[in-house]
Amino acid sequence: EVKQQGRNGWHFFSASLEEKVRKKLSISNGLRLAMERDELSVRFQPIVDTLSTRIVGAEMLLRWHPAEGPVSPALFIPIAEMTGSIVPIGSWVFAQACQAEADWRSRWGELAPAYISVNISARQLNEKNLLSEIKAIIKTHACDPARILLEITETAVMADIDTNLRVLRSLADLGFRVAIDDFGTGYSSLAQLTKLPVDVLKIDKAFIDGIEHHPESRAVVKAVIGLGRAVGVKMIAEGVENPEQLLELRNFGCDFVQGYLFYRPLEKHQFIEAVEQSFKNDPEPYEPPLFFL
Ligand code: C2E
Ligand code: MG
Ligand code: MG
Ligand code: MG
């Protein structure tokens, strides 16, 4: 019986592995056609000022909805990075961000949110023609790079610090703002951090989870925010889900927060409504220089 169980176990394991491989393959094939099939879209998750909770920006988040049903970015982004599909898809997302930036300025003028942030994968940074392509896109959309925040994960930056440092410097020279995403999950040292042209650190959700219950988690987040202040960058906390977490982040002097407590990733029309509602609550223009002091 044990033997048989073992054999069944083996068959089961083998089948599930095969299933996983098949799924990855179908995702990678599907992704290659996603753009021409018009299956991609973007959402906007507002980012708010910690004290006033006014909307100061938004993160653009990619969505993929093939005929079989939506696939989570957590699943398809790593596959797109592996196969290289992220390069054309990432350009498309970047163009959407540039378009949104120009649209916000023409729609809201002085009152427009200060920035839109967009995720950039390491694969894109390694593309030879990245800079010329980006220049062309910002020209097409007449977009202001100073209002675009490029989010690169800490792990991606550190994986090839020399190349990435060079590319990030060129992007910063073009006027873009740079954020280190999922900060705290990688292994950067303070010394490396000060070498990078960084404007913003985004503290990963994993560090925010439980700060309202655990003194140790609180101590870590407080120290990270202190570190950010010491090196002169702005801090965004990700994944803020309850008012207790917000209170802690206010006490620690975190500049900005993003999370389901305020908004989920929104469709364009919902985002426009949310911003206009936010104006009604707080009609003073939000000065971009305050954000990037
Ligand atoms: P990320 O850049 O760290 O984005 C934040 C993720 O946290 C988003 O997941 C967002 O929906 C989610 N989130 C925000 N607030 C909360 C909250 O309060 N609670 C919880 N549970 N989740 C929250 P999403 O949209 O599923 O994206 C996952 C990851 O996929 C992103 O993590 C990013 O690394 C990647 N990604 C998304 N869009 C793009 C893209 O256009 N290009 C690239 N290269 N990566 C992308
Ligand atoms: Mg991000
Ligand atoms: Mg993040
Ligand atoms: Mg994250």
Side-chain angles (χ1 to χ4, degrees):
E1 204 187 283
V2 172
K3 234 183 206 168
Q4 211 186 338
Q5 239 180 25
R7 212 185 294 141
N8 286 342
W10 160 249
H11 278 296
F12 179 72
F13 174 68
S14 156
S16 96
L17 235 170
E18 204 183 298
E19 195 48 52
K20 276 187 190 161
V21 171
R22 198 176 303 139
K23 192 169 177 196
K24 271 194 181 176
L25 244 144
S26 104
I27 289 177
S28 79
N29 288 332
L31 277 170
R32 223 168 288 136
L33 300 165
M35 268 204 284
E36 62 189 65
R37 288 181 176 166
D38 209 18
E39 294 168 345
L40 300 177
S41 64
V42 290
R43 295 263 170 111
F44 302 83
Q45 187 178 30
I47 297 171
V48 306
D49 179 86
T50 311
L51 293 176
S52 68
T53 74
R54 183 198 170 98
I55 296 176
V56 298
E59 177 172 10
M60 181 164 267
L61 293 159
L62 181 61
R63 295 291 178 263
W64 179 34
H65 31 82
E68 306 79 55
V71 184
S72 157
L75 183 62
F76 76 77
I77 296 279
I79 296 175
E81 286 177 338
M82 225 159 54
T83 62
S85 285
I86 195 66
V87 173
I89 290 175
S91 300
W92 180 82
V93 173
F94 179 78
Q96 300 294 304
C98 290
Q99 199 173 19
E101 189 285 316
D103 175 50
W104 296 359
R105 255 184 309 123
S106 71
R107 193 182 285 273
W108 294 310
E110 288 273 82
L111 291 166
Y115 64 96
I116 176 151
S117 75
V118 57
N119 295 285
I120 304 287
S121 108
R123 265 309 265 270
Q124 290 172 271
L125 290 185
N126 292 330
E127 278 295 295
K128 270 202 307 294
N129 51 6
L130 174 81
L131 286 174
S132 58
E133 198 183 345
I134 277 185
K135 282 184 199 163
I137 297 173
I138 54 181
K139 205 171 159 194
T140 304
H141 297 282
C143 135
D144 178 2
R147 303 171 72 97
I148 307 261
L149 184 60
L150 305 174
E151 296 193 5
I152 330 278
T153 67
E154 184 184 23
T155 318
V157 173
M158 296 306 155
D160 183 1
I161 181 79
D162 295 325
T163 308
N164 292 331
L165 184 56
R166 195 161 30 77
V167 181
L168 288 177
R169 281 203 181 123
S170 325
L171 289 166
D173 287 344
L174 287 176
F176 289 100
R177 312 292 181 171
V178 176
I180 304 297
D181 201 357
D182 301 346
F183 185 73
T185 60
Y187 301 94
S188 46
S189 71
L190 246 182
Q192 285 170 315
L193 198 64
T194 54
K195 270 198 276 175
L196 290 163
V198 174
D199 302 285
V200 175
L201 295 180
K202 295 191 78 172
I203 309 173
D204 194 62
K205 178 178 185 299
F207 293 92
I208 307 305
D209 286 343
I211 53 166
E212 70 278 34
H213 302 302
H214 310 296
E216 321 79 57
S217 315
R218 265 200 300 283
V220 170
V221 171
K222 185 180 177 184
V224 170
I225 292 169
L227 181 146
R229 297 197 130 186
V231 298
V233 298
K234 295 292 177 186
M235 305 297 300
I236 301 177
E238 291 187 322
V240 178
E241 293 184 340
N242 62 55
E244 293 75 25
Q245 294 170 338
L246 175 64
L247 259 176
E248 298 296 346
L249 292 163
R250 277 185 176 152
N251 287 336
F252 301 154
C254 185
D255 303 282
F256 307 107
V257 283
Q258 173 182 2
Y260 294 173
L261 173 62
F262 307 98
Y263 304 95
R264 300 214 163 219
L266 306 176
E267 302 204 14
K268 186 184 166 185
H269 73 275
Q270 299 173 309
F271 176 73
I272 290 168
E273 278 166 33
V275 170
E276 289 176 354
Q277 189 56 50
S278 179
F279 291 162
K280 283 186 199 145
N281 305 337
D282 180 5
E284 292 300 309
Y286 191 85
E287 289 289 330
L290 283 181
F291 174 62
F292 294 113
L293 264 183

